[in-house]
Amino acid sequence: MDLLGFMYSNTLSTSSISGFLDVLMVADKFKAPSCVKYCSRLLQRLPITCVYALVFLDLPSTVGMVAAVQPLVFAATQYFTCRYNNFMKYKKDLLKLPCAVIEVVLSCDDLEVDSEDDIYDFVLEWVNLHHPISDERRSILAMKLSEHVRFPFMSCKKLREVLSCGDFDSLVSSKLVLGALLFKVDPSYRHHALTTGIPIIGRDYKYIPITVVEFQSPREQVTVYFNLKREDCTRRFPLHRIYSQSFDLAGQSCLFTGLIMMHMIFAALGCSWGCMTINPCRMFWWITSFSLRSNRVKNLQ
């Protein structure tokens, strides 16, 4: 009846999200694109909830006029990325949500998370919770979730665990780890990965990724490359303190921590009637009080 009413009056009597969704589905079934678009526009104006955001995400698989509902899919994506931006805070809540939401959240570049290791651990926990059958877990990981884990930004210790993880097919895990290691150490491979396909970029990590080279002789030692960009310091200021990923040294789990300092060079821009205008010309960041800690990362809050 609502669809017939729209055909004559170009309006709908319903005003609820569920009502608009029902009309949208009927209009899609009977190939009424103007009504589908009308419902889509009205739904975008209404406050969205978690329940309806889940429905919006699933619309492309249930309707034929996919283009008309794309704004609703985008709205649902924005809802979930904003709601669960603080990944560490809402990790337990995310475990209850379906795969589509997990993909949306993990695809976010601005996700606030301690390290990519936490993303990997979460993915394994989620897939074991929702897919107890081994073959299903391997399929979901290979086809959907693994592409949202940024393996090049994981610690070397965690990458070793990937190779021995029974939830991954051995060929898949070997390929993922090899690509991650090449990204870490080979500039040409890293440049190729960043300029072709979907760029691999880091997130807003609390523990900054590092590259570790281990030596067994003449004595056991490691060389740690701590790549820190100027924008990383700017984003973290004035928190001052930064931390690296953890790494193993002589059987101990260690990390680097440093203090961010900011210094400015001021320049005289003009002089008039004995008055001089002074403005900051350049800003320099450097790390001071750099130290090594053997505490476990999880104990540093």
Side-chain angles (χ1 to χ4, degrees):
M1 293 299 294
D2 285 314
L3 180 58
L4 289 175
F6 177 82
M7 293 173 65
Y8 285 102
S9 64
N10 205 34
T11 58
L12 293 173
S13 59
T14 184
S15 60
S16 65
I17 294 181
S18 59
F20 286 131
L21 282 171
D22 290 339
V23 176
L24 186 149
M25 301 300 289
V26 173
D28 179 77
K29 181 179 179 180
F30 288 99
K31 310 297 181 184
S34 60
C35 187
V36 172
K37 293 178 182 178
Y38 182 80
C39 292
S40 178
R41 287 196 301 269
L42 292 180
L43 284 168
Q44 293 173 57
R45 300 172 187 171
L46 298 177
I48 190 172
T49 64
C50 185
V51 173
Y52 288 116
L54 289 171
V55 176
F56 292 171
L57 277 184
D58 193 49
L59 281 176
S61 64
T62 57
V63 301
M65 303 178 194
V66 176
V69 299
Q70 279 302 322
L72 296 178
V73 177
F74 179 76
T77 300
Q78 291 293 101
Y79 172 85
F80 285 119
T81 53
C82 292
R83 181 181 177 90
Y84 298 109
N85 181 254
N86 191 332
F87 180 83
M88 304 306 294
K89 180 179 180 180
Y90 295 107
K91 188 162 59 172
K92 291 184 179 180
D93 295 337
L94 284 166
L95 285 172
K96 305 172 186 177
L97 296 175
C99 187
V101 178
I102 303 304
E103 290 184 86
V104 166
V105 174
L106 296 188
S107 65
C108 180
D109 295 335
D110 299 324
L111 197 64
E112 296 177 11
V113 60
D114 286 357
S115 72
E116 198 67 26
D117 293 2
D118 292 287
I119 298 290
Y120 171 78
D121 290 337
F122 168 82
V123 166
L124 290 188
E125 186 177 358
W126 183 92
V127 79
N128 277 275
L129 179 64
H130 291 267
H131 300 278
I133 301 175
S134 177
D135 290 340
E136 288 184 2
R137 286 200 303 273
R138 291 187 176 188
S139 177
I140 292 295
L141 284 171
M143 301 300 294
K144 292 186 175 183
L145 294 181
S146 63
E147 65 181 74
H148 298 293
V149 180
R150 305 181 185 188
F151 290 90
F153 297 95
M154 288 170 53
S155 65
C156 293
K157 179 181 179 180
K158 188 63 68 172
L159 288 175
R160 292 193 191 98
E161 293 182 16
V162 176
L163 289 174
S164 59
C165 179
D167 293 323
F168 282 96
D169 181 83
S170 58
L171 292 177
V172 173
S173 61
S174 298
K175 181 180 179 180
L176 292 171
V177 172
L178 178 60
L181 293 176
L182 287 173
F183 186 93
K184 287 177 179 289
V185 301
D186 188 344
S188 61
Y189 182 91
R190 183 162 57 250
H191 176 75
H192 177 75
L194 292 172
T195 55
T196 59
I198 302 176
I200 304 174
I201 60 176
R203 309 180 198 267
D204 188 13
Y205 301 118
K206 178 179 179 180
Y207 301 100
I208 300 173
I210 55 177
T211 301
V212 180
V213 180
E214 299 181 2
F215 298 91
Q216 298 299 325
S217 62
R219 62 184 180 276
E220 188 176 357
Q221 60 181 357
V222 295
T223 299
V224 179
Y225 295 92
F226 193 16
N227 298 320
L228 190 63
K229 297 179 181 179
R230 180 174 177 176
E231 50 266 30
D232 294 327
C233 294
T234 303
R235 188 172 66 252
R236 286 170 171 79
F237 191 82
L239 296 178
H240 301 299
R241 184 66 62 179
I242 60 171
Y243 302 98
S244 76
Q245 280 181 341
S246 63
F247 57 93
D248 289 337
L249 177 61
Q252 295 289 324
S253 181
C254 305
L255 58 80
F256 281 114
T257 178
L259 185 65
I260 302 177
M261 301 295 292
M262 180 182 70
H263 290 266
M264 289 185 178
I265 291 181
F266 291 89
L269 299 184
C271 179
S272 177
W273 296 97
C275 298
M276 185 175 291
T277 302
I278 306 293
N279 283 332
C281 180
R282 295 188 64 185
M283 192 163 52
F284 291 89
W285 300 91
W286 65 70
I287 308 300
T288 185
S289 302
F290 211 49
S291 59
L292 179 68
R293 293 187 180 181
S294 60
N295 306 60
R296 290 189 177 275
V297 173
K298 293 183 179 179
N299 291 334
L300 288 175
Q301 298 296 336

